[in-house]
Amino acid sequence: MRTSSVLVTGASGEIGHGLITRLAEDGRSIVTIDVTPLAPALGRLVRREFTGSITDTGLLERILAEFEIDLVFHLAALLSTRAEFTPTSAHEVNVEGTLNLLEFSHHEGESHGRPVVFLYPSSIAAYGLPNLETKMRAKRVREDEWNIPITMYGCNKLYCEHLGRYYACHYKQLAADTTAGRVDFRCVRFPGLISAVTVPSGGTSDYAPEMIHAAARGKAYACFVRPDTRIPLMVMPDAIEALLRLASVPRDRLTKTAYNLTAFSPTAEEICDVVTRAFPRASVTWETDLKRQRIVDSWPAEVDDTAARRDWGFAPRYDFARAFDEYLIPTIRERYSS
Ligand code: SER
């Protein structure tokens, strides 16, 4: 007898970590896929852990045969910096992997007769502003503006938003029996995310979390972007809350395929100021990597999250001050004190 479960891909990653904890608290049966085994404490929370790749369709077929999946959090991806070094592998994981998961979800939906809710984290990397001057003038960028990404990762994310929309609305539209709608695709465009418990790898917004974690450990940090660099950011508890809320909202409330999310947009220098006040042993120097800077400069300084607030009532709990005072500083202190 197959029990209804939630599938989390990229489960060992930063978002997976907190999401699995929350899903387990809600008593959900969780199935995971990741190329890296789960930390033992997380592994104990899941019903079944598959160590493998989303590019392995055989693995997905085994899961399809064994589990009834009604909700997918497809988190697996190669982030923006890493993807620039290996663009074809990025395409394989980020695009072909997502296509595999959409096909998988379509077949799941077909087999149990209900749409599979498919949560997809897209990114501010889906935007591409041509230069800093345009970025400074652009203000709060809406979902349909500046969709001209300059990174492989951004191109992958933007395309997969369209793939998801295709599966949800237009799948095999010329077939005699049209079968669109088996996948209920829902997508957020996350800003840079900061977790107090994990450090990211391979992203270009990583300067913010790297600076905070280095400071807490009393380590010197050479920041790879200019002090005046500004992008939208959000702390991990709000990101997880957003995914869970979007997963549970009635479909007819949703008017968009992809929703901007944001919480605060400090400059790198403003982050440095807060962090060095909290951790006086911290030392930050500025060693701009011009190539990574260009990527961050192509991302908006602020995004317009009106649609998410209006359609599914999302508002982040943590603004800049609360994020540091109530989440990052106390949690990180505790993490490195043992
Ligand atoms: N955090 C991601 C990155 O830097 C952006 O979504 O690649």
Side-chain angles (χ1 to χ4, degrees):
M1 166 70 183
R2 303 193 312 165
T3 13
S4 168
S5 300
V6 183
L7 176 65
V8 181
T9 74
S12 279
E14 282 217 289
I15 304 175
H17 202 274
L19 180 67
I20 287 170
T21 313
R22 277 291 308 276
L23 290 169
E25 280 166 10
D26 291 347
R28 298 298 303 249
S29 157
I30 307 162
V31 177
T32 64
I33 311 180
D34 201 302
V35 284
T36 310
L38 289 177
L42 272 192
R44 284 193 281 279
L45 303 179
V46 310
R47 171 141 182 245
R48 181 78 78 81
E49 170 186 355
F50 290 92
T51 303
S53 169
I54 53 167
T55 58
D56 177 356
T57 48
L59 173 60
L60 296 179
E61 273 160 26
R62 272 172 54 207
I63 299 175
L64 186 65
E66 214 174 316
F67 296 94
E68 186 171 301
I69 304 289
D70 55 13
L71 176 59
V72 175
F73 292 93
H74 173 34
L75 310 177
L78 258 57
L79 294 184
S80 58
T81 290
R82 182 139 171 241
E84 288 311 304
F85 290 101
T86 55
T88 53
S89 313
H91 190 277
E92 202 181 317
V93 173
N94 296 351
V95 175
E96 288 164 43
T98 300
L99 183 68
N100 292 344
L101 258 300
L102 286 166
E103 253 322 284
F104 164 89
S105 302
H106 178 84
H107 291 304
E108 275 284 350
E110 214 161 41
S111 105
H112 56 59
R114 300 184 305 280
V116 170
V117 176
F118 189 112
L119 268 289
Y120 182 66
S122 184
S123 159
I124 41 164
Y127 296 108
L129 292 111
N131 50 49
L132 197 51
E133 203 194 321
T134 314
K135 168 168 171 159
M136 299 315 235
R137 262 191 291 116
K139 301 278 188 250
R140 286 159 50 88
V141 172
R142 286 197 320 265
E143 283 88 349
D144 56 355
E145 297 177 305
W146 299 110
N147 298 142
I148 322 160
I150 69 162
T151 60
M152 185 57 162
Y153 172 77
C155 293
N156 295 165
K157 286 289 180 187
L158 190 58
Y159 173 58
C160 287
E161 291 181 11
H162 288 294
L163 269 184
R165 184 176 54 80
Y166 170 76
Y167 269 78
C169 306
H170 306 292
Y171 187 74
K172 289 193 177 167
Q173 57 196 291
L174 297 183
D177 292 322
T178 173
T179 55
R182 304 267 197 261
V183 181
D184 179 351
F185 182 82
R186 304 170 178 209
C187 165
V188 288
R189 286 198 190 141
F190 275 134
L193 299 181
I194 314 176
S195 166
V197 285
T198 53
V199 191
S201 68
T204 319
S205 60
D206 292 4
Y207 64 90
E210 282 173 3
M211 189 189 298
I212 300 164
H213 282 262
R217 297 167 66 208
K219 300 246 184 241
Y221 183 66
C223 183
F224 61 81
V225 295
R226 289 185 319 267
D228 67 340
T229 303
R230 192 191 289 279
I231 57 166
L233 298 170
M234 175 177 273
V235 288
M236 198 56 81
D238 275 333
I240 288 161
E241 197 51 48
L243 287 174
L244 292 170
R245 183 181 271 257
L246 181 57
S248 64
V249 74
R251 174 78 234 175
D252 59 9
R253 295 259 301 274
L254 304 179
T255 60
K256 282 189 177 298
T257 300
Y259 287 90
N260 277 342
L261 293 181
T262 183
F264 43 88
S265 282
T267 62
E269 190 167 34
E270 284 164 347
I271 300 172
C272 172
D273 289 347
V274 176
V275 151
T276 46
R277 262 202 310 276
F279 304 104
R281 287 194 307 130
S283 100
V284 176
T285 52
W286 305 93
E287 292 178 23
T288 309
D289 174 332
L290 292 176
K291 292 179 175 163
R292 291 180 93 186
Q293 180 75 54
R294 179 162 176 262
I295 292 176
V296 183
D297 285 347
S298 78
W299 295 347
E302 288 183 69
V303 292
D304 184 340
D305 64 350
T306 308
R309 288 175 184 266
R310 179 197 61 216
D311 287 2
W312 43 286
F314 181 71
R317 263 183 66 202
Y318 296 95
D319 61 13
F320 187 50
R322 285 191 73 188
F324 279 85
D325 296 346
E326 295 177 27
Y327 169 64
L328 290 169
I329 294 170
T331 319
I332 289 184
R333 263 212 182 104
E334 196 185 313
R335 180 179 192 264
Y336 294 118
S337 67
S338 47

